[in-house]
Amino acid sequence: MNTTDLLRSPNTVLANAVDDALDVLRPRLLEAGTERIEFTVGTQLNGRPHIGTHLVQSLSFLVAERARDEFGIDAAVDFAALDNAPAETITRDGRKYQLTYHHRLGDHGIRALVDEYYAPLLDAMSSRTGVDYRVSTYTEQQNTPEFRAEFLRTLDFLDRIRFWLAPASGTAHIRLPCPVCGWSQKHADHTRLLELDGSGALFEAMCHEHGRYEADITPLGGGYLDLSTLYRNVVKERSYHPGDGTLHVMVKGGDWVFGCQLVDGAHAAIGAPTAPVPLRVFTPQVLGSDGGKLSKSLLTATASSGDATDWLLDPAAWPGTQADYVEALTGAAELMLSNPRHFYRSYTTTALETLMTTRQPARNQSQAHGRPRGIQIYQQYFDLIADGSKTVEVRVAYASMKRIRVGDLLNFTCRGEHCLTRVLRIGTYRTFKEMFGTEDVKAVNPHATEAEQLRAIHAIFPPEKEALGVITFEIERVNPDE
């Protein structure tokens, strides 16, 4: 079954500007010094995840895998477990108070929750893509000197950014949980900044049980710092200092597109950070039949009308094994990534269910030699591989490329087209010039001279990249139906 039989996607402004969904990363990756890329996907720990959460997480790994293979750069996923999500809320004297999952469960309980509800999919996607991941919690993040110091810097501009962070009220939601019980005022109605100097900030806050208290926030310690979603993202994006050559990318659901205009407004009001803020990749949003974002509460309310299938709300209800579920989810996500028109759009629960329950024909060749490694490539080079005139592919010898072995299948893709190949031979060289002393120039590109090809390669890979070494793959086309 062809992709076009399942997906008929409209064009969009962004889809019309790129050949592949990952092209949005290319401008930053072309900057010198990028040696590694880390994709951060944040998830509120508010119980068992639904299909929308799983889709964003699976796409994070697949995007990381494709970036690794497309750009020849090591990639990893950072699963940001937002344990400051409210576990309970109450109203006292007309004010809302909340208790976070961290304050209810503690560090050990949070880790157990991640292991039970999130680790199975993360482990499966890591194994499938070969992309490593780590788990970080918001509690750990707010306790780092970088995050706390950046927060303190934003306080100098609080009057400029408060309406960006809270457009309705202008009261930035700086929640400072009570040191006795852990409850905090949800909208920070009675939170006041008392002092601010080079050593830190002193706040006054209110607890419904223990009355007024003070919280001293310094770069190296003090009280727990719980920021609202918008404020947290402003501080987090500004606290990255990629001095280690890592490019940070935030992977967000499509509904974040609207919120980011407020985040960017706050960035502009504060002024340019010391380093560029991370790039953002927005994944497709999952909608109910009425066009609203997938929500457990909304879907439960409309379940009687047939709008929800059990496993959309609780993946544990999938009628099959965990491996079957991961396979179906990955298949749907890969279809979305196969063309920018499929990626930069939304999907109803009905459409997503169709994608996940309609199986594509098995590829015997792929099963015989393992899952093919997908490699994105420019159209001009894809066409040469597809017609058989380009039989040698050249890459920088990143760790991800050095894991490829003779006999592996490489699936070259461009704008939804695929060309399956097998690796016949691998060559390793110190420089591109040395490589052309051995490899057939016409096998690399039959329409360009050695000098022309060297100029094109050096425009993509600066000297510090070439210094890592050069690797070549002699390939032959494979019929996927064999």
Side-chain angles (χ1 to χ4, degrees):
M1 178 177 294
N2 295 324
T3 301
T4 53
D5 295 329
L6 290 176
L7 295 180
R8 298 185 183 276
S9 299
N11 203 358
T12 63
V13 172
L14 185 52
N16 192 46
V18 297
D19 291 333
D20 184 87
L22 294 190
D23 284 342
V24 296
L25 306 179
R26 197 177 303 277
R28 189 73 64 84
L29 281 169
L30 291 178
E31 296 177 3
T34 301
E35 301 174 359
R36 178 177 177 273
I37 185 168
E38 182 173 271
F39 295 86
T40 296
V41 55
T43 300
Q44 283 201 333
L45 299 186
N46 54 4
R48 189 182 297 275
H50 57 52
I51 189 65
T53 301
H54 274 180
L55 180 63
V56 176
Q57 292 169 355
S58 62
L59 280 167
S60 298
F61 281 94
L62 293 173
V63 168
E65 178 190 33
R66 289 164 70 93
R68 177 194 67 197
D69 296 337
E70 160 74 6
F71 302 111
I73 187 171
D74 285 335
V77 169
D78 171 26
F79 174 65
L82 303 179
D83 57 345
N84 64 324
E88 185 179 353
T89 59
I90 60 174
T91 301
R92 294 289 187 272
D93 299 324
R95 308 291 182 182
K96 289 185 177 180
Y97 293 82
Q98 70 175 46
L99 184 70
T100 71
Y101 271 85
H102 166 76
H103 289 91
R104 166 170 282 184
L105 301 179
D107 291 335
H108 180 75
I110 290 297
R111 290 293 171 175
L113 189 153
V114 170
D115 288 343
E116 179 181 2
Y117 289 156
Y118 297 91
L121 179 68
L122 299 176
D123 289 339
M125 292 305 303
S126 179
S127 176
R128 186 182 183 94
T129 61
V131 173
D132 294 331
Y133 79 93
R134 65 185 176 97
V135 176
S136 60
T137 66
Y138 172 79
T139 294
E140 294 167 340
Q141 182 185 84
Q142 65 85 33
N143 201 38
T144 62
E146 295 81 7
F147 188 92
R148 297 171 81 86
E150 194 60 52
F151 165 71
L152 292 171
R153 277 191 284 271
T154 67
L155 295 178
D156 286 326
F157 305 90
L158 193 55
D159 282 342
R160 298 185 193 177
I161 65 175
R162 61 192 184 94
F163 277 100
W164 287 110
L165 303 176
S169 66
T171 300
H173 297 174
I174 303 172
R175 294 184 286 262
L176 305 163
C178 173
V180 178
C181 63
W183 285 83
S184 61
Q185 212 166 50
K186 184 175 180 63
H187 299 128
D189 306 270
H190 292 104
T191 300
R192 300 289 181 267
L193 176 60
L194 302 179
E195 297 178 14
L196 176 64
D197 56 31
S199 63
L202 181 65
F203 288 90
E204 180 184 69
M206 174 70 75
C207 174
H208 68 281
E209 182 71 22
H210 300 99
R212 295 187 180 276
Y213 58 92
E214 293 183 352
D216 191 13
I217 305 297
T218 73
L220 300 180
Y224 189 99
L225 181 60
D226 180 12
L227 301 179
S228 64
T229 301
L230 292 175
Y231 206 160
R232 180 187 72 243
N233 275 265
V234 170
V235 175
K236 181 175 182 176
E237 290 185 355
R238 298 181 71 87
S239 62
Y240 282 117
H241 301 289
D244 60 353
T246 298
L247 172 63
H248 294 278
V249 179
M250 315 298 289
V251 183
K252 298 177 176 293
D255 58 309
W256 254 104
V257 171
F258 308 108
C260 280
Q261 63 182 324
L262 297 175
V263 173
D264 289 338
H267 283 317
I270 296 171
T274 56
V277 298
L279 290 172
R280 303 175 187 133
V281 171
F282 300 102
T283 62
Q285 189 173 179
V286 182
L287 310 175
S289 61
D290 64 350
K293 177 191 172 185
L294 179 69
S295 161
K296 288 183 180 179
S297 58
L298 290 179
L299 276 178
T300 300
T302 60
S304 59
S305 65
D307 196 38
T309 301
D310 288 345
W311 57 264
L312 290 171
L313 297 178
D314 181 2
W318 172 265
T321 66
Q322 166 76 5
D324 289 337
Y325 174 76
V326 172
E327 184 70 23
L329 180 64
T330 304
E334 287 179 335
L335 285 178
M336 294 174 185
L337 277 169
S338 67
N339 190 294
R341 294 190 182 193
H342 303 331
F343 192 76
Y344 296 117
R345 54 158 290 182
S346 299
Y347 291 85
T348 64
T349 52
T350 301
L352 183 57
E353 185 174 1
T354 299
L355 292 182
M356 290 183 61
T357 55
T358 303
R359 299 302 181 92
Q360 302 230 21
R363 292 181 175 180
N364 295 332
Q365 196 63 253
S366 302
Q367 293 172 347
H369 296 279
R371 180 172 176 267
R373 175 179 294 227
I375 296 183
Q376 296 291 309
I377 194 168
Y378 286 118
Q379 187 73 57
Q380 59 178 327
Y381 301 121
F382 176 88
D383 292 340
L384 296 176
I385 292 175
D387 67 21
S389 59
K390 175 178 171 62
T391 58
V392 173
E393 173 66 3
V394 181
R395 298 276 164 158
V396 166
Y398 292 104
S400 61
M401 292 292 106
K402 291 191 287 187
R403 286 194 286 267
I404 296 175
R405 297 289 182 263
V406 171
D408 283 358
L409 297 175
L410 305 182
N411 188 29
F412 291 93
T413 63
C414 180
R415 295 191 67 83
E417 297 182 272
H418 302 266
C419 183
L420 189 63
T421 68
R422 181 189 295 110
V423 177
L424 301 177
R425 176 181 59 84
I426 298 175
T428 57
Y429 308 93
R430 290 175 299 174
T431 66
F432 294 113
K433 182 67 175 177
E434 179 184 281
M435 179 269 295
F436 277 120
T438 299
E439 300 289 349
D440 182 359
V441 174
K442 295 299 183 183
V444 178
N445 186 344
H447 303 308
T449 65
E450 177 180 333
E452 290 170 337
Q453 291 189 52
L454 278 173
R455 283 197 296 271
I457 290 174
H458 284 138
I460 299 174
F461 300 110
E464 62 268 21
K465 303 298 184 185
E466 185 178 16
L468 298 174
V470 176
I471 190 166
T472 61
F473 304 103
E474 183 180 352
I475 55 177
E476 67 173 359
R477 289 202 56 185
V478 172
N479 185 346
D481 297 323
E482 290 180 356

